[in-house]
Amino acid sequence: MSLAEKILQGDIRAAARLMRHVDDGMPGAVEELKRLYPYTGKAYIVGVTGPPGAGKSTLTDKLIEAFRSKNLKVGVVAVDPTSPFSGGAILGDRIRMNRHATDPGVFIRSLGTRGHLGGLSNSANDVVHILDAMGMDVVIVETVGVGQDEVEIVRTAHTTLVVMVPGLGDDIQAIKAGILEIGDIFVVNKADRPDADRTARDLSIMVDMKERSADEWCPPVVMTVAQKSDGLDALVEQVEAHRTYLQAEERLQRHEEEKSRQRFSELLKERLFAQVFSRIDAEDRVKDIVQAVARRNIDPYTAVEEILKSHLR
Amino acid sequence: MSLAEKILQGDIRAAARLMRHVDDGMPGAVEELKRLYPYTGKAYIVGVTGPPGAGKSTLTDKLIEAFRSKNLKVGVVAVDPTSPFSGGAILGDRIRMNRHATDPGVFIRSLGTRGHLGGLSNSANDVVHILDAMGMDVVIVETVGVGQDEVEIVRTAHTTLVVMVPGLGDDIQAIKAGILEIGDIFVVNKADRPDADRTARDLSIMVDMKERSADEWCPPVVMTVAQKSDGLDALVEQVEAHRTYLQAEERLQRHEEEKSRQRFSELLKERLFAQVFSRIDAEDRVKDIVQAVARRNIDPYTAVEEILKSHLR
């Protein structure tokens, strides 16, 4: 039986094995992903992003709990060097997370931020794809929202939560410029801290500044204290409201097409490069080109154009 | 006269124009870059990276001053949403930076973190390339060291300064795992804060943990208060020590080859994708593929394989 068949029959270990195979770039892995593909597209994908220290993983932990209480199966992909899920954070956090380890309705997969052959975003997408085919109802993708890569990853989520926190310095808040545009819901976490109201107000003002048509989604600002589960019900309600919004007027279909376009482009870029590079590497030409470029005998632009000419039809 | 010729004759406006053309993906820009390429490879490239709030731009400002006092021409590329150079930070910082604006021996170019056709790293490299050809003795590349992209950018520097700061939370310090490996010199900035000694000691311990051969560079930890110029002389001395180290035993040549390899790979990836994508887009095929993938009529892996088959020789 293929790994894909086992996964479709609910074999958790087979899923874990395929995820490892994908990460290691094993030859057969792509064939398994192809077999799973027709069974994907059912999971609802929730992105959780924000600066380090915003409490994203505590919030993720509570979201798992909330979705589980509705009897939904939950997959988690953690791409965050500061997340206890991905092994980056302090010990206490990691132990806290382990309470889900024995729940068969929860599957957590963490990705380090380096060492992914086809790029981090491709790896994360492949894991979401497997979790989706496994029959997870909700897949939470947690990333630290600072680099471009990390922002790309949550861009494919159905609903993206941008988690902010009161009292981080101006320097850090400056990062939010980049992640503001991708938020469907803004969360002011640790809302029992001073200045929480101001942070929420600032966010609301920024949200209001953007022009929208009357039927367009206007991102709400939700205040939470994830550690005490405060505000979690309101947050889950907003996630459901955004889902309802997406389900109307073919928005979900357009979202799916946008996601497919991004996935196709990303894969095309990686595979084109991998194939052409391995060919010229097999011909032992990479070393010569690199030396010629380093010695200024040829410029890298011309070197690349010559490769394109001889390898593209 | 071509832009390249003007730039080689010292025309600052021509340089600024070419940088804009490169960013906008203007057709002739690559030809100009090719013309400049033989004149590159002379500038010494210093990377400055670290978490938001570490004081990277104040440090960069002081480094400009230090290099200028040695009568060296200094170029700066700022890729950092929190940097006053790239327009991201608070007003006071920006005004402070402007003191270099009237110095003809300083050229500062900032890059936003989005909207770069060929990727942020390619854009940053092209700007370094132009600054190098302009005859800048030193080029400082400032990036916020959190995302993978941003780390890639400083990887090509001759000497990389990783700037840390006492008292940032554990969450934020966790980021350092990724940037530790790329540091040639560690800077504990704002060293007049409490806990500075502990931060420096922690860094030293981590540096010592890595196994090194006897002749390998061991990254020093330098304490600075950039705002008061404290420790700047020691820092510049360490930059020079690292430069002397690189100049011995063909290390500089190996570094140049590694840089050329990375540049070539990056360009190859971008150009292959751009060329193939624009072809299938011209044939109006992208829309069909995307719809088929979204509807699960084809999986994205197979779709990409078919494109590779028909476009690669």
Side-chain angles (χ1 to χ4, degrees), chain A residues 88-282:
Chain A
I90 38 178
L91 195 63
D93 274 345
R94 300 194 66 179
I95 290 166
R96 178 163 48 74
M97 291 310 162
N98 277 341
R99 66 194 179 99
H100 297 299
T102 53
D103 178 350
V106 177
F107 190 106
I108 298 174
R109 170 74 179 177
S110 62
L111 296 175
T113 49
R114 44 188 58 233
H116 297 282
L117 269 177
L120 186 57
S121 179
N122 265 321
S123 292
N125 272 312
D126 286 338
V127 174
V128 170
H129 175 142
I130 296 167
L131 290 168
D132 188 349
M134 283 170 78
M136 295 298 163
D137 301 296
V138 178
V139 174
I140 302 175
V141 182
E142 182 200 329
T143 80
V144 61
V146 275
Q148 222 175 6
D149 260 24
E150 289 75 10
V151 171
E152 281 307 314
I153 294 167
V154 291
R155 189 162 286 180
T156 55
H158 291 107
T159 300
T160 296
L161 315 184
V162 171
V163 188
M164 305 302 292
V165 67
L168 284 184
D170 274 335
D171 289 325
I172 289 167
Q173 299 283 343
I175 286 177
K176 74 187 166 200
I179 54 179
L180 258 185
E181 322 162 15
I182 61 168
D184 298 306
I185 298 171
F186 292 97
V187 182
V188 178
N189 192 31
K190 306 188 182 177
D192 50 355
R193 286 195 186 171
D195 273 347
D197 290 324
R198 210 195 60 176
T199 304
R201 203 170 49 237
D202 287 354
L203 278 169
S204 296
I205 290 169
M206 275 186 280
V207 166
D208 288 341
M209 268 165 56
K210 198 186 152 194
E211 276 186 50
R212 288 185 185 79
S213 54
D215 61 343
E216 210 175 329
W217 176 260
C218 180
V221 178
V222 180
M223 296 177 82
T224 60
V225 184
Q227 210 132 36
K228 300 180 189 162
S229 298
D230 284 0
L232 254 290
D233 290 344
L235 179 57
V236 171
E237 254 169 51
Q238 288 296 347
V239 172
E240 276 163 7
H242 186 247
R243 183 175 194 169
T244 306
Y245 164 80
L246 277 185
Q247 279 162 343
E249 300 183 25
E250 299 185 321
R251 286 191 193 101
L252 210 51
Q253 189 191 316
R254 281 204 300 277
H255 182 273
E256 196 61 43
E257 284 181 11
E258 185 43 44
K259 212 163 75 176
S260 298
R261 167 187 289 269
Q262 199 186 317
R263 189 84 188 94
F264 169 71
S265 301
E266 226 173 46
L267 266 181
L268 181 60
K269 186 183 275 189
E270 284 302 325
R271 294 295 304 277
L272 268 172
F273 174 71
Q275 197 129 327
V276 171
F277 192 86
S278 69
R279 282 189 199 170
I280 56 177
D281 201 32

